[in-house]
Amino acid sequence: MPHMLIGYARVSTHEQTLTLQQDALEKAGCEKIFTDKVSGTKAERKGLTEALSHLRAGDTLVVWRLDRLGRSLRHLIDTITALDERGVGFKSLTENIDTTTSGGKLVFHIFGALAEFEREIIRERTQAGLASARSRGKVGGRPKALTPKEVQILRNMANDPSLTIADICKTLGIGRTTFYRYVKVGEKEH
């Protein structure tokens, strides 16, 4: 079976139409184009999911511009890396990036190095911030979900066979994860 160019186009609600992207993708030789209209912060992108599942080794995913594919640099890199592992190429028309060429692969590796560099800087800042806070007597991290008194109430309720875990969680306004953090699994059966 011949290798295919598969297009993916996405617009958000404030943009008018998909026509500009679709025209560019067709002109680039895409045989099939998947689309998404994303409204607000809804992250559901059925078109992208369909496009990714349609791709086979040797195919190339084509987008009009890099930001059509990734929500962030990290997401973009992860997606293109996953494609590469499947033997699928990636092409962005506006930035003229094509991972099926050696030049495109190089650009992509530079992106990856920059994302890694950014992550390292964030990690170092976080560590420095935590060290600074500790030196001032503050403790970093997430605050405890329950006070010692609330933990005692939770454990007393957990020992009551007439109460279900769902009842206890609802009464105390906690999730099951928090429940299990304070109550050993064997103590409460349902």
Side-chain angles (χ1 to χ4, degrees):
M1 208 174 154
H3 298 314
M4 290 178 72
L5 293 180
I6 306 291
Y8 172 67
R10 177 179 64 84
V11 290
S12 50
T13 45
H14 65 271
E15 294 176 79
Q16 288 81 38
T17 68
L18 287 158
T19 316
L20 167 73
Q21 292 178 54
Q22 285 173 314
D23 288 351
L25 292 169
E26 280 172 19
K27 197 174 164 196
C30 292
E31 295 158 63
K32 205 160 177 50
I33 297 171
F34 295 88
T35 62
D36 275 321
K37 276 195 175 186
V38 180
S39 55
T41 54
K42 244 173 67 186
E44 205 177 291
R45 295 160 90 179
K46 287 193 176 94
L48 180 58
T49 306
E50 284 177 31
L52 294 175
S53 65
H54 196 83
L55 291 156
R56 301 288 170 257
D59 290 349
T60 301
L61 178 66
V62 186
V63 295
W64 172 62
R65 206 170 65 199
L66 280 175
D67 65 355
R68 301 298 92 187
L69 181 66
R71 294 184 297 269
S72 65
L73 181 60
R74 179 77 254 145
H75 178 248
L76 183 70
I77 287 163
D78 289 346
T79 306
I80 298 171
T81 302
L83 290 173
D84 189 54
E85 285 166 2
R86 291 171 50 195
V88 173
F90 171 75
K91 205 179 219 175
S92 176
L93 303 176
T94 306
E95 291 84 4
N96 202 14
I97 293 171
D98 182 351
T99 64
T100 62
T101 67
S102 53
K105 275 198 171 79
L106 176 65
V107 169
F108 177 62
H109 286 303
I110 292 168
F111 275 4
L114 288 172
E116 191 59 47
F117 175 65
E118 181 189 41
R119 255 201 321 277
E120 197 56 36
I121 288 173
I122 291 167
R123 199 180 67 72
E124 282 174 15
R125 279 194 196 139
T126 304
Q127 296 302 327
L130 288 171
S132 170
R134 276 194 294 274
S135 71
R136 293 193 312 275
K138 293 190 173 118
V139 181
R142 191 175 175 175
K144 291 275 180 258
L146 300 174
T147 64
K149 190 169 177 57
E150 288 169 326
V151 172
Q152 194 52 56
I153 293 166
L154 169 62
R155 289 196 172 133
N156 290 343
M157 289 174 87
N159 290 328
D160 184 340
S162 68
L163 295 172
T164 66
I165 292 173
D167 292 335
I168 297 168
C169 291
K170 196 172 181 185
T171 305
L172 295 175
I174 60 172
R176 281 179 179 266
T177 307
T178 304
F179 176 91
Y180 288 117
R181 193 177 300 132
Y182 295 102
V183 179
K184 298 285 176 283
V185 179
E187 289 177 30
K188 188 83 182 168
E189 288 310 314
H190 26 267

